[in-house]
Amino acid sequence: MSDIFKQLKKVSQVDIVDQTWIARNKRELLGYMRLHPLVRTASTPLLRRFFRMVPSVAFLSAILLLTTGGMSVAAQGSIPGDLLYPVKIRVENIESAFVFGTQNRAQFEVSRTTKRLEEVTELAIHKNISNKLIMEAQVRLERQVQTTSDTIDAVALENKELALETALQLSSTLEAHKAVLDQLGPKADSIVKPQIQDAINSIVQTSDSVQNAVSSLSKQSRANTIATKTQPDLKENSLAKLESAKKKLNETWELVIKLPEDSLVRIQAEDKLLSAQDALTNAELDIELAGYDSAITGIQAGSKLTAETIALLETAKNTTTAVQQILDTTQTASPSQLIDPSKSTKPTPLTSPMTTLAPTSSQTPTPQVSSSISPTPIQ
Amino acid sequence: MDITERSFANIYDEFAPKIFKFCYFRVSSKEEAEDLTSQVFIKTWDHLSAGGALTNIQGFLYRIANNLVIDFYRKNKNRHEVSIDSTLDAIDLPDATDFVKDLDLRITIEQVQSKLELLSDAYREVITLKYISDLSLKEIAHIMDTTENNISVRLHRAIEKLKKLME
């Protein structure tokens, strides 16, 4: 008889649950919670009356906005919770009605995603912000990413290459904003740290499906090219893709060298572009050796890194003062290697011979590479 | 208790394995137990998001879990009665604990399950809460919405029944 009690005791002392299921179910629960946020009522009737007025004020603002251009500009910088935020959304909806063509639609949705990402980032660092607003912004972001992914799927039916390019833009934008939040996390006030982590989690959650789409489109595009082209066509096609990737890379270099030499963004951008150059140089060699599958993979890798750099630059350019202040505070408080070029951590050494000629972070990025790729932007 | 989205996620981390274990020893199926556990947290969140308050989170979760198990039995009454008597159960049992990696623990779980299945659901309920979920009589009384005395008597009878079945 004591056996059963021993067994019961043993069972009572251990967890028998499947941890994979626990994690998966938690994600689903968090999703459910976002869609059904906690209701927080205003504490006084006066406040309640004020909040009831907010939609009407916003609506009036929208009318004004449509008649005055300045208002729409003012609304562009608003975030959820601001009086002008509904105006911003309304303006976007109006703009959306004038977007024609699948590719243009996809581009428009990518730029809308960027706006939602900026809002999530901005809200994450606000101290006195309601959970409901944060949750709503995250749900809005997730829905927007889904919409953008759907439009990319539509583009893929017409043109896989363009779809891949747009998907890369989307994934790079998500990654760049996550990187900003990652940097903010350790530096921000402890009150907002959980909010920042929530924002990171929200982006990670949406990033997975986008990354899968990028990977799947890359494979499809590669397979299509290899399967449908004859050998001479393949070479021509690969060279055309390489040229296009190089052009984009050089254009991006031009933007990067305009940044202050000691800025963190420039160091990160240079690092990515050097890797992109590496990938393209190797791809060029692969084309010479008729290794087209490998060449296209290299071109895709180079294009991805370039897209990531562009997203990094865009995100840095649009960073709000509030976000920048947090990042700057730490930089001043701790003159880290990241901002002091003389102490900067060198980019991860690359294997290509080109890497050995890579500039230090304090130099203008003018690595000597084959003439076909010009890392020195054309002056 | 002032619950936020964040604190509820922490509550999930702490209680989901416990609620799963409770459900699992009541329904003897991993899938059903997972489904019930999931429902427990959704229902609790619905209660909170509708403005409801929580004073005893553990008690609340177990009470919902217990009610869901009772509903489960009510809905699957016929199926359950058949499955207990079915000779195929002896073959099905090992698969039911596949998700437990430790073989020794797996055997123990199966032995406990086979003994609990010999009890009526009312006795199984109180034994599970007391010895598997390791709750006090007071906590069990709260979950089952009755008095501690009542639970004490029920537990005593359940143990007696178990002893008899083991002879």
Side-chain angles (χ1 to χ4, degrees):
Chain A
M1 179 63 205
S2 64
D3 264 9
I4 178 72
F5 287 101
K6 274 184 194 161
Q7 288 169 336
L8 284 166
K9 194 168 179 62
K10 184 176 175 183
V11 170
S12 78
Q13 287 168 345
V14 290
D15 272 348
I16 58 164
V17 71
D18 176 353
Q19 289 302 332
T20 317
W21 175 81
I22 280 282
R24 193 177 62 239
N25 190 55
K26 186 177 179 181
R27 279 199 298 277
E28 285 167 10
L29 178 67
L30 291 175
Y32 183 85
M33 285 160 63
R34 284 197 189 105
L35 292 171
H36 302 84
L38 289 173
V39 178
R40 298 195 204 287
T41 50
S43 52
T44 69
L46 189 67
L47 269 177
R48 222 174 288 154
R49 223 175 304 145
F50 172 74
F51 283 116
R52 263 190 220 132
M53 280 168 64
V54 168
S56 3
V57 173
F59 180 71
L60 283 174
S61 306
I63 301 283
L64 279 171
L65 160 89
L66 296 174
T67 52
T68 58
M71 211 33 168
S72 68
V73 175
Q76 287 314 298
S78 62
I79 56 170
D82 288 349
L83 274 181
L84 284 178
Y85 187 70
V87 178
K88 179 179 174 180
I89 297 296
R90 193 166 283 247
V91 169
E92 280 180 19
N93 291 339
I94 293 168
E95 284 171 354
S96 167
F98 293 97
V99 177
F100 302 103
T102 325
Q103 175 58 15
N104 289 340
R105 165 74 46 201
Q107 283 296 338
F108 177 77
E109 296 301 348
V110 170
S111 75
R112 250 186 157 179
T113 309
T114 309
K115 286 178 189 169
R116 299 295 87 83
L117 279 163
E118 284 164 7
E119 290 160 12
V120 165
T121 308
E122 189 67 18
L123 283 176
I125 59 162
H126 271 248
K127 281 183 190 163
N128 298 313
I129 202 96
S130 79
N131 279 334
K132 189 169 181 276
L133 274 179
I134 292 176
M135 288 286 183
E136 280 173 358
Q138 289 173 4
V139 170
R140 217 175 277 125
L141 168 66
E142 283 164 27
R143 285 183 185 160
Q144 181 55 49
V145 171
Q146 189 53 53
T147 306
T148 313
S149 300
D150 291 346
T151 57
I152 292 172
D153 286 346
V155 174
L157 293 174
E158 297 168 6
N159 187 331
K160 294 250 180 315
E161 297 291 326
L162 274 178
L164 174 59
E165 202 177 300
T166 319
L168 275 177
Q169 263 181 286
L170 177 62
S171 74
S172 304
T173 307
L174 287 166
E175 190 51 44
H177 278 85
K178 184 184 163 288
V180 169
L181 286 162
D182 281 338
Q183 285 171 40
L184 284 170
K187 301 165 184 175
D189 194 299
S190 59
I191 298 171
V192 299
K193 275 185 180 166
Q195 293 176 187
I196 292 174
Q197 192 51 51
D198 269 353
I200 293 172
N201 293 343
S202 175
I203 295 176
V204 169
Q205 219 171 336
T206 52
S207 290
D208 285 349
S209 62
V210 178
Q211 291 294 351
N212 288 342
V214 167
S215 159
S216 155
L217 281 167
S218 299
K219 274 184 201 158
Q220 286 174 34
S221 163
R222 210 160 52 233
N224 278 359
T225 311
I226 302 290
T228 56
K229 308 275 185 220
T230 59
Q231 208 63 357
D233 280 353
L234 253 177
K235 183 168 185 178
E236 199 180 321
N237 187 276
S238 306
L239 283 171
K241 280 185 175 157
L242 181 68
E243 276 313 309
S244 164
K246 280 184 203 170
K247 190 168 172 255
K248 196 89 180 163
L249 177 71
N250 284 335
E251 285 169 1
T252 315
W253 266 122
E254 280 196 63
L255 298 173
V256 170
I257 59 161
K258 286 178 187 160
L259 296 172
E261 283 188 12
D262 58 353
S263 77
L264 173 64
V265 176
R266 178 163 170 167
I267 294 167
Q268 290 173 333
E270 284 176 6
D271 201 9
K272 280 186 187 294
L273 290 185
L274 287 170
S275 302
Q277 278 182 190
D278 245 3
L280 296 185
T281 307
N282 290 335
E284 198 165 19
L285 277 172
D286 284 330
I287 294 173
E288 288 303 315
L289 299 169
Y292 299 114
D293 189 55
S294 172
I296 296 168
T297 307
I299 295 168
Q300 286 177 343
S303 302
K304 184 171 186 285
L305 286 160
T306 308
E308 284 173 6
T309 313
I310 294 168
L312 181 71
L313 300 179
E314 282 294 311
T315 308
K317 194 174 84 185
N318 295 328
T319 299
T320 60
T321 320
V323 171
Q324 197 55 54
Q325 268 171 357
I326 297 176
L327 294 171
D328 287 348
T329 308
T330 317
Q331 289 186 353
T332 317
S334 158
S336 68
Q337 294 177 323
L338 288 173
I339 55 157
D340 185 347
S342 61
K343 296 175 190 167
S344 73
T345 309
K346 291 274 290 172
T348 315
L350 305 172
T351 49
S352 151
M354 190 170 72
T355 318
T356 58
L357 301 166
T360 63
S361 53
S362 58
Q363 293 171 324
T364 304
T366 53
Q368 307 300 303
V369 292
S370 71
S371 57
S372 55
I373 300 175
S374 165
T376 313
I378 299 150
Q379 299 299 315
Chain B
M1 188 193 286
D2 190 18
I3 303 264
T4 62
E5 283 84 356
R6 174 161 296 282
S7 63
F8 192 72
N10 294 337
I11 286 169
Y12 174 86
D13 290 338
E14 184 184 346
F15 287 102
K18 293 177 184 172
I19 296 293
F20 169 82
K21 189 157 68 177
F22 168 73
C23 293
Y24 181 69
F25 280 96
R26 294 291 302 281
V27 299
S28 301
S29 154
K30 177 180 180 272
E31 284 71 29
E32 300 290 3
E34 285 176 349
D35 188 39
L36 291 172
T37 308
S38 179
Q39 284 185 53
V40 168
F41 286 92
I42 295 278
K43 278 185 183 289
T44 307
W45 182 254
D46 283 345
H47 169 79
L48 290 168
S49 63
L54 277 187
T55 45
N56 175 355
I57 185 70
Q58 175 176 274
F60 191 89
L61 291 171
Y62 274 104
R63 185 185 276 205
I64 292 194
N66 199 39
N67 290 341
L68 285 170
V69 169
I70 292 167
D71 282 350
F72 171 83
Y73 276 118
R74 211 171 282 153
K75 284 177 195 161
N76 299 280
K77 198 167 180 279
N78 295 334
R79 192 165 67 94
H80 183 65
E81 281 168 356
V82 170
S83 81
I84 283 176
D85 296 337
S86 168
T87 51
L88 291 173
D89 265 13
I91 300 162
D92 288 344
L93 262 175
D95 288 338
T97 51
D98 265 1
F99 64 100
V100 179
K101 297 282 174 275
D102 183 335
L103 189 63
D104 189 37
L105 179 62
R106 233 162 103 178
I107 293 166
T108 309
I109 289 171
E110 283 166 17
Q111 285 171 343
V112 168
Q113 267 182 332
S114 64
K115 284 160 197 163
L116 288 182
E117 278 181 358
L118 299 171
L119 293 174
S120 71
D121 193 49
Y123 288 161
R124 188 175 176 175
E125 177 183 38
V126 77
I127 291 274
T128 309
L129 285 167
K130 175 67 186 159
Y131 294 105
I132 291 178
S133 299
D134 209 15
L135 300 180
S136 68
L137 291 181
K138 191 179 172 187
E139 287 166 327
I140 299 171
H142 173 76
I143 291 161
M144 293 172 67
D145 200 16
T146 184
T147 62
E148 275 184 65
N149 276 344
N150 189 317
I151 295 300
S152 184
V153 171
R154 206 182 294 186
L155 188 63
H156 177 74
R157 286 180 188 163
I159 293 169
E160 287 302 311
K161 179 78 179 170
L162 199 56
K163 278 182 186 168
K164 228 179 236 176
L165 290 167
M166 301 299 293
E167 282 169 8

